[in-house]
Amino acid sequence: MSRASSLHRLQQVESDLQASANRVAEIDRRMADSEAIRKATAAHDAAQAKLQAARYAAHAAELETESIKAKLSAAESALYGGTVRNPKELQDLQADCESLKRHIATLEDQLLERMVELEDASTAEAAASRALDDVQAREIAGQASLSGEKTELLHRMERLQAECEAALASVDPADVAVYRALRQSKAGTA
C-alpha cells in the first residue's frame, strides 16, 4: 500500500472516529437535558401552585362564612333568648341579624365561586400531571433508543480505534507528524 493511500485510510478512520465521538456527545446531551420534560414539569408545577392557591382561597372563604354564621347564631340567641329587654337594643340586634344574613349570602356566593375555581384548578392539575407522565414515558422510550444507539457507537469506536492503531503502524512516523500538522491546520481534513 502506498504512503498516500495509507494516510488516506488513516484519515478516513480518524474522521469516522471523530464523527462517532461527536454523535455520542450529542446523545449524552440529549439524554441529560430534555426540553420537553422541563416544559411539562414547569406546567405541572404551575398547575399545582394554582391548585394550592385555589384550595387556600376556598378554605379561607369557608372559614369566613363559618365565622359570620357563628356571629349570626350568637346575635339570634341574644335576640330571641329574652335576655335583652331594651327595644332599642332589640332593634339593633334585629338589624345586625339581617346584615349578617345578607353578608352570609354574599360569602356563600363567593365560596361557591372558590369551589368552582378549585374544581377547575384540580382538573387542570390532573391534566398537567397526565401530560407530564406522557412526556416522561415518551422520553424514556426515546432515551432507550438513544442508549442503544450510543452502545452501538461505542462498539464502533472501539473497532475504529483498533483500525486507527493498525493504520498508524503502517505509516512512517515522519509522515504521521506532517499528517497531524495538516489535519490540525485544515480543520480535520489533511
Side-chain angles (χ1 to χ4, degrees), residues 5 8 10 12 17 25 29 48 50 56 64 73-74 76 78 80 95 105 112 121 126 128 143 148 168 172 177:
S5 60
H8 185 261
L10 177 63
Q12 286 176 329
L17 188 61
R29 276 192 307 276
Q48 280 185 326
K50 190 172 183 179
Y56 176 78
E64 186 177 0
S73 178
E76 284 179 338
Y80 300 120
L112 184 60
Q143 285 192 359
L168 276 172
D172 181 22

Side-chain angles (χ1 to χ4, degrees), residues 52-168:
Q52 192 62 28
R55 282 182 181 149
Y56 176 78
H59 184 67
E62 192 174 329
L63 289 177
E64 186 177 0
T65 302
E66 293 302 318
S67 172
I68 299 300
K69 283 182 179 179
K71 285 181 183 178
L72 175 63
S73 178
E76 284 179 338
S77 293
L79 180 65
Y80 300 120
T83 57
V84 177
R85 299 199 193 279
N86 184 342
K88 177 68 176 147
E89 286 182 35
L90 287 173
Q91 281 181 336
D92 289 344
L93 281 174
Q94 179 81 29
D96 284 347
C97 288
E98 290 173 9
S99 172
L100 289 172
K101 286 178 183 177
R102 285 190 302 273
H103 190 58
I104 287 172
T106 302
L107 290 176
E108 285 177 341
D109 289 343
Q110 291 175 357
L111 178 60
L112 184 60
E113 289 173 12
R114 298 303 165 268
M115 294 299 236
V116 168
E117 289 171 4
L118 177 61
E119 185 176 331
D120 291 345
S122 180
T123 302
E125 191 275 335
S129 181
R130 283 191 305 276
L132 178 60
D133 290 343
D134 290 346
V135 167
Q136 286 174 333
R138 281 194 308 272
E139 222 26 63
I140 287 171
Q143 285 192 359
S145 172
L146 289 175
S147 180
E149 182 183 353
K150 180 180 176 181
T151 302
E152 290 175 16
L153 285 169
L154 290 174
H155 290 302
R156 181 169 188 243
M157 287 173 65
E158 288 175 10
R159 192 178 69 253
L160 288 171
Q161 189 63 40
E163 285 182 38
C164 184
E165 290 171 9
L168 276 172

